Short mmCIF file of all heavy atoms in Angstrom, two decimals:
data_model
loop_
_atom_site.label_atom_id
_atom_site.label_comp_id
_atom_site.label_asym_id
_atom_site.label_seq_id
_atom_site.Cartn_x
_atom_site.Cartn_y
_atom_site.Cartn_z
N ASP A 11 -12.84 5.87 5.60
CA ASP A 11 -12.18 5.10 6.66
C ASP A 11 -10.79 4.69 6.15
O ASP A 11 -10.67 3.83 5.30
CB ASP A 11 -13.02 3.87 6.99
CG ASP A 11 -12.47 3.06 8.15
OD1 ASP A 11 -11.26 3.16 8.42
OD2 ASP A 11 -13.23 2.32 8.78
N VAL A 12 -9.74 5.34 6.70
CA VAL A 12 -8.38 5.12 6.23
C VAL A 12 -7.95 3.66 6.40
O VAL A 12 -7.34 3.08 5.50
CB VAL A 12 -7.39 6.08 6.90
CG1 VAL A 12 -5.98 5.80 6.43
CG2 VAL A 12 -7.78 7.53 6.65
N LEU A 13 -8.24 3.09 7.53
CA LEU A 13 -7.83 1.71 7.79
C LEU A 13 -8.51 0.75 6.83
O LEU A 13 -7.92 -0.24 6.36
CB LEU A 13 -8.14 1.33 9.24
CG LEU A 13 -7.33 2.11 10.29
CD1 LEU A 13 -7.69 1.62 11.68
CD2 LEU A 13 -5.85 2.03 10.05
N LYS A 14 -9.76 1.03 6.51
CA LYS A 14 -10.46 0.21 5.53
C LYS A 14 -9.86 0.38 4.15
O LYS A 14 -9.68 -0.58 3.40
CB LYS A 14 -11.94 0.58 5.52
CG LYS A 14 -12.79 -0.27 4.59
CD LYS A 14 -14.25 0.11 4.66
CE LYS A 14 -15.09 -0.73 3.68
NZ LYS A 14 -16.54 -0.34 3.74
N VAL A 15 -9.54 1.64 3.79
CA VAL A 15 -8.95 1.93 2.49
C VAL A 15 -7.62 1.20 2.31
O VAL A 15 -7.30 0.69 1.23
CB VAL A 15 -8.78 3.46 2.31
CG1 VAL A 15 -7.82 3.76 1.16
CG2 VAL A 15 -10.12 4.12 2.08
N ARG A 16 -6.83 1.15 3.36
CA ARG A 16 -5.51 0.52 3.27
C ARG A 16 -5.58 -0.95 2.86
O ARG A 16 -4.66 -1.48 2.25
CB ARG A 16 -4.77 0.67 4.62
CG ARG A 16 -4.29 2.07 4.85
CD ARG A 16 -3.67 2.19 6.27
NE ARG A 16 -2.48 1.39 6.43
CZ ARG A 16 -1.25 1.77 6.12
NH1 ARG A 16 -1.06 2.95 5.57
NH2 ARG A 16 -0.23 0.97 6.34
N LYS A 17 -6.70 -1.59 3.17
CA LYS A 17 -6.87 -2.99 2.79
C LYS A 17 -7.01 -3.17 1.28
O LYS A 17 -6.86 -4.28 0.76
CB LYS A 17 -8.08 -3.57 3.51
CG LYS A 17 -7.93 -3.62 5.03
CD LYS A 17 -9.18 -4.18 5.68
CE LYS A 17 -9.03 -4.18 7.20
NZ LYS A 17 -10.26 -4.68 7.89
N ASP A 18 -7.28 -2.05 0.58
CA ASP A 18 -7.41 -2.12 -0.86
C ASP A 18 -6.08 -2.20 -1.58
O ASP A 18 -6.04 -2.44 -2.80
CB ASP A 18 -8.16 -0.87 -1.40
CG ASP A 18 -9.60 -0.81 -0.94
OD1 ASP A 18 -10.18 -1.88 -0.62
OD2 ASP A 18 -10.17 0.31 -0.89
N PHE A 19 -4.98 -1.98 -0.85
CA PHE A 19 -3.66 -1.88 -1.47
C PHE A 19 -2.78 -3.05 -1.06
O PHE A 19 -2.31 -3.13 0.07
CB PHE A 19 -3.01 -0.56 -1.06
CG PHE A 19 -3.70 0.65 -1.64
CD1 PHE A 19 -4.83 1.19 -1.03
CD2 PHE A 19 -3.24 1.22 -2.82
CE1 PHE A 19 -5.48 2.28 -1.57
CE2 PHE A 19 -3.87 2.31 -3.38
CZ PHE A 19 -5.01 2.85 -2.76
N PRO A 20 -2.56 -3.99 -1.96
CA PRO A 20 -1.76 -5.17 -1.62
C PRO A 20 -0.40 -4.87 -1.04
O PRO A 20 0.09 -5.57 -0.15
CB PRO A 20 -1.64 -5.91 -2.96
CG PRO A 20 -2.86 -5.48 -3.73
CD PRO A 20 -3.09 -4.06 -3.34
N MET A 21 0.27 -3.81 -1.54
CA MET A 21 1.63 -3.51 -1.09
C MET A 21 1.64 -3.02 0.37
O MET A 21 2.70 -3.04 1.02
CB MET A 21 2.27 -2.48 -1.99
CG MET A 21 2.72 -3.06 -3.32
SD MET A 21 3.65 -1.89 -4.34
CE MET A 21 5.08 -1.56 -3.30
N LEU A 22 0.52 -2.58 0.90
CA LEU A 22 0.47 -2.16 2.30
C LEU A 22 0.18 -3.31 3.23
O LEU A 22 0.14 -3.12 4.44
CB LEU A 22 -0.59 -1.05 2.47
CG LEU A 22 -0.29 0.25 1.77
CD1 LEU A 22 -1.43 1.23 1.96
CD2 LEU A 22 1.01 0.88 2.29
N ASN A 23 -0.03 -4.46 2.67
CA ASN A 23 -0.37 -5.63 3.50
C ASN A 23 0.70 -6.72 3.42
O ASN A 23 0.45 -7.87 3.73
CB ASN A 23 -1.73 -6.19 3.06
CG ASN A 23 -2.83 -5.17 3.30
OD1 ASN A 23 -3.21 -4.91 4.41
ND2 ASN A 23 -3.37 -4.61 2.23
N GLY A 24 1.90 -6.30 2.94
CA GLY A 24 3.02 -7.23 2.86
C GLY A 24 4.18 -6.76 3.71
O GLY A 24 4.00 -6.02 4.69
N LYS A 25 5.36 -7.12 3.36
CA LYS A 25 6.58 -6.77 4.10
C LYS A 25 7.61 -6.16 3.15
O LYS A 25 7.57 -6.42 1.94
CB LYS A 25 7.20 -8.02 4.77
CG LYS A 25 6.29 -8.72 5.77
CD LYS A 25 6.10 -7.91 7.04
CE LYS A 25 5.26 -8.70 8.04
NZ LYS A 25 5.08 -7.94 9.30
N THR A 26 8.49 -5.34 3.68
CA THR A 26 9.57 -4.80 2.89
C THR A 26 10.72 -5.80 2.85
O THR A 26 10.64 -6.88 3.48
CB THR A 26 10.09 -3.50 3.50
OG1 THR A 26 10.72 -3.77 4.77
CG2 THR A 26 8.97 -2.48 3.71
N MET A 27 11.78 -5.44 2.16
CA MET A 27 12.96 -6.32 2.10
C MET A 27 13.59 -6.48 3.48
O MET A 27 14.27 -7.45 3.73
CB MET A 27 13.97 -5.76 1.11
CG MET A 27 13.51 -5.83 -0.35
SD MET A 27 14.72 -5.17 -1.51
CE MET A 27 16.05 -6.31 -1.28
N GLN A 28 13.35 -5.51 4.37
CA GLN A 28 13.89 -5.60 5.71
C GLN A 28 12.99 -6.40 6.64
O GLN A 28 13.27 -6.51 7.83
CB GLN A 28 14.12 -4.19 6.28
CG GLN A 28 15.23 -3.39 5.60
CD GLN A 28 14.77 -2.86 4.27
OE1 GLN A 28 13.59 -2.68 4.03
NE2 GLN A 28 15.73 -2.61 3.38
N GLY A 29 11.90 -6.93 6.10
CA GLY A 29 11.00 -7.72 6.91
C GLY A 29 10.06 -6.87 7.74
O GLY A 29 9.42 -7.37 8.67
N LYS A 30 9.99 -5.60 7.45
CA LYS A 30 9.13 -4.67 8.19
C LYS A 30 7.97 -4.25 7.30
O LYS A 30 8.05 -4.26 6.07
CB LYS A 30 9.91 -3.43 8.64
CG LYS A 30 11.12 -3.74 9.51
CD LYS A 30 11.85 -2.46 9.85
CE LYS A 30 13.02 -2.69 10.78
NZ LYS A 30 14.06 -3.55 10.14
N PRO A 31 6.83 -3.84 7.91
CA PRO A 31 5.73 -3.30 7.09
C PRO A 31 6.19 -2.08 6.31
O PRO A 31 6.97 -1.26 6.82
CB PRO A 31 4.68 -2.95 8.14
CG PRO A 31 4.99 -3.77 9.32
CD PRO A 31 6.50 -3.90 9.33
N LEU A 32 5.75 -1.95 5.10
CA LEU A 32 6.13 -0.83 4.25
C LEU A 32 5.44 0.46 4.72
O LEU A 32 4.23 0.48 4.90
CB LEU A 32 5.74 -1.09 2.79
CG LEU A 32 5.91 0.07 1.81
CD1 LEU A 32 7.39 0.43 1.65
CD2 LEU A 32 5.29 -0.28 0.48
N ILE A 33 6.24 1.51 4.91
CA ILE A 33 5.71 2.86 5.15
C ILE A 33 6.10 3.65 3.92
O ILE A 33 7.25 4.04 3.74
CB ILE A 33 6.29 3.48 6.43
CG1 ILE A 33 5.87 2.65 7.65
CG2 ILE A 33 5.80 4.92 6.57
CD1 ILE A 33 6.46 3.14 8.95
N TYR A 34 5.15 3.87 3.04
CA TYR A 34 5.41 4.46 1.75
C TYR A 34 5.10 5.96 1.76
O TYR A 34 3.94 6.36 1.82
CB TYR A 34 4.63 3.76 0.64
CG TYR A 34 5.01 4.23 -0.73
CD1 TYR A 34 6.19 3.77 -1.34
CD2 TYR A 34 4.23 5.13 -1.43
CE1 TYR A 34 6.57 4.20 -2.60
CE2 TYR A 34 4.60 5.57 -2.69
CZ TYR A 34 5.77 5.10 -3.28
OH TYR A 34 6.13 5.54 -4.53
N LEU A 35 6.18 6.77 1.72
CA LEU A 35 6.01 8.23 1.80
C LEU A 35 6.69 8.92 0.62
O LEU A 35 7.25 10.00 0.74
CB LEU A 35 6.61 8.73 3.11
CG LEU A 35 5.96 8.20 4.40
CD1 LEU A 35 6.70 8.70 5.64
CD2 LEU A 35 4.49 8.61 4.46
N ASP A 36 6.63 8.26 -0.54
CA ASP A 36 7.18 8.83 -1.78
C ASP A 36 6.09 8.92 -2.84
O ASP A 36 6.30 8.60 -4.02
CB ASP A 36 8.36 8.00 -2.27
CG ASP A 36 9.15 8.71 -3.37
OD1 ASP A 36 9.06 9.97 -3.48
OD2 ASP A 36 9.84 8.02 -4.14
N ASN A 37 4.93 9.39 -2.45
CA ASN A 37 3.78 9.43 -3.34
C ASN A 37 3.90 10.53 -4.40
O ASN A 37 3.19 10.46 -5.40
CB ASN A 37 2.50 9.63 -2.53
CG ASN A 37 2.24 8.43 -1.62
OD1 ASN A 37 1.80 7.39 -2.08
ND2 ASN A 37 2.50 8.60 -0.32
N GLY A 38 4.79 11.46 -4.18
CA GLY A 38 5.03 12.48 -5.22
C GLY A 38 5.73 11.88 -6.44
O GLY A 38 5.62 12.42 -7.54
N ALA A 39 6.43 10.76 -6.23
CA ALA A 39 7.11 10.07 -7.34
C ALA A 39 6.16 9.14 -8.06
O ALA A 39 6.06 9.14 -9.28
CB ALA A 39 8.33 9.30 -6.82
N THR A 40 5.47 8.30 -7.30
CA THR A 40 4.43 7.44 -7.83
C THR A 40 3.61 6.94 -6.67
O THR A 40 4.04 7.01 -5.52
CB THR A 40 5.02 6.26 -8.63
OG1 THR A 40 4.00 5.66 -9.45
CG2 THR A 40 5.60 5.19 -7.72
N THR A 41 2.41 6.46 -6.94
CA THR A 41 1.52 6.00 -5.90
C THR A 41 1.32 4.49 -5.98
O THR A 41 1.56 3.87 -7.02
CB THR A 41 0.16 6.69 -5.98
OG1 THR A 41 -0.38 6.53 -7.30
CG2 THR A 41 0.30 8.17 -5.67
N LEU A 42 0.84 3.92 -4.91
CA LEU A 42 0.52 2.50 -4.90
C LEU A 42 -0.80 2.27 -5.63
O LEU A 42 -1.56 3.20 -5.89
CB LEU A 42 0.43 2.01 -3.45
CG LEU A 42 1.65 2.32 -2.58
CD1 LEU A 42 1.49 1.74 -1.18
CD2 LEU A 42 2.94 1.78 -3.21
N LYS A 43 -1.03 1.01 -5.99
CA LYS A 43 -2.19 0.69 -6.84
C LYS A 43 -3.21 -0.15 -6.05
O LYS A 43 -2.84 -1.18 -5.49
CB LYS A 43 -1.77 -0.10 -8.09
CG LYS A 43 -0.46 0.39 -8.72
CD LYS A 43 -0.43 1.86 -9.09
CE LYS A 43 0.96 2.25 -9.62
NZ LYS A 43 1.13 3.71 -9.71
N PRO A 44 -4.48 0.27 -6.04
CA PRO A 44 -5.50 -0.53 -5.37
C PRO A 44 -5.89 -1.74 -6.21
O PRO A 44 -5.65 -1.80 -7.43
CB PRO A 44 -6.68 0.45 -5.26
CG PRO A 44 -6.51 1.37 -6.42
CD PRO A 44 -5.01 1.51 -6.60
N LYS A 45 -6.52 -2.69 -5.56
CA LYS A 45 -6.88 -3.95 -6.22
C LYS A 45 -7.80 -3.72 -7.43
O LYS A 45 -7.70 -4.42 -8.43
CB LYS A 45 -7.54 -4.89 -5.21
CG LYS A 45 -6.55 -5.50 -4.21
CD LYS A 45 -7.23 -6.46 -3.29
CE LYS A 45 -8.00 -5.73 -2.21
NZ LYS A 45 -8.52 -6.65 -1.15
N VAL A 46 -8.69 -2.73 -7.34
CA VAL A 46 -9.61 -2.53 -8.46
C VAL A 46 -8.89 -2.13 -9.74
O VAL A 46 -9.31 -2.49 -10.84
CB VAL A 46 -10.68 -1.47 -8.11
CG1 VAL A 46 -11.61 -1.98 -7.03
CG2 VAL A 46 -10.06 -0.14 -7.71
N VAL A 47 -7.78 -1.37 -9.59
CA VAL A 47 -7.00 -1.00 -10.77
C VAL A 47 -6.25 -2.20 -11.31
O VAL A 47 -6.23 -2.45 -12.52
CB VAL A 47 -6.03 0.16 -10.41
CG1 VAL A 47 -5.04 0.41 -11.55
CG2 VAL A 47 -6.81 1.42 -10.10
N ILE A 48 -5.63 -2.94 -10.41
CA ILE A 48 -4.90 -4.14 -10.82
C ILE A 48 -5.82 -5.12 -11.54
O ILE A 48 -5.50 -5.68 -12.58
CB ILE A 48 -4.25 -4.80 -9.58
CG1 ILE A 48 -3.24 -3.84 -8.94
CG2 ILE A 48 -3.60 -6.13 -9.96
CD1 ILE A 48 -2.73 -4.30 -7.59
N GLU A 49 -7.02 -5.30 -10.98
CA GLU A 49 -7.97 -6.23 -11.55
C GLU A 49 -8.48 -5.77 -12.91
O GLU A 49 -8.69 -6.58 -13.81
CB GLU A 49 -9.15 -6.43 -10.57
CG GLU A 49 -8.75 -7.21 -9.34
CD GLU A 49 -9.80 -7.15 -8.23
OE1 GLU A 49 -10.84 -6.46 -8.46
OE2 GLU A 49 -9.61 -7.78 -7.18
#
């Protein structure tokens, strides 16, 4: 469930510097980190 998975990533539940939700499409450079890895 993609929508459920997205809740695992803190950076997808915040805002960008422009005050907009982050749309992260540079995963070839690096990926976002889920809470289990951070923890």
Side-chain angles (χ1 to χ4, degrees):
D11 184 337
V12 177
L13 295 182
K14 182 179 179 181
V15 164
R16 287 174 64 85
K17 295 179 182 178
D18 294 336
F19 292 83
M21 286 186 62
L22 294 177
N23 297 288
K25 299 289 184 180
T26 67
M27 291 180 64
Q28 291 76 25
K30 301 178 178 65
L32 172 65
I33 298 178
Y34 187 77
L35 298 176
D36 192 21
N37 295 285
T40 196
T41 53
L42 307 182
K43 320 305 175 192
K45 287 182 284 188
V46 292
V47 171
I48 298 169
E49 289 167 359

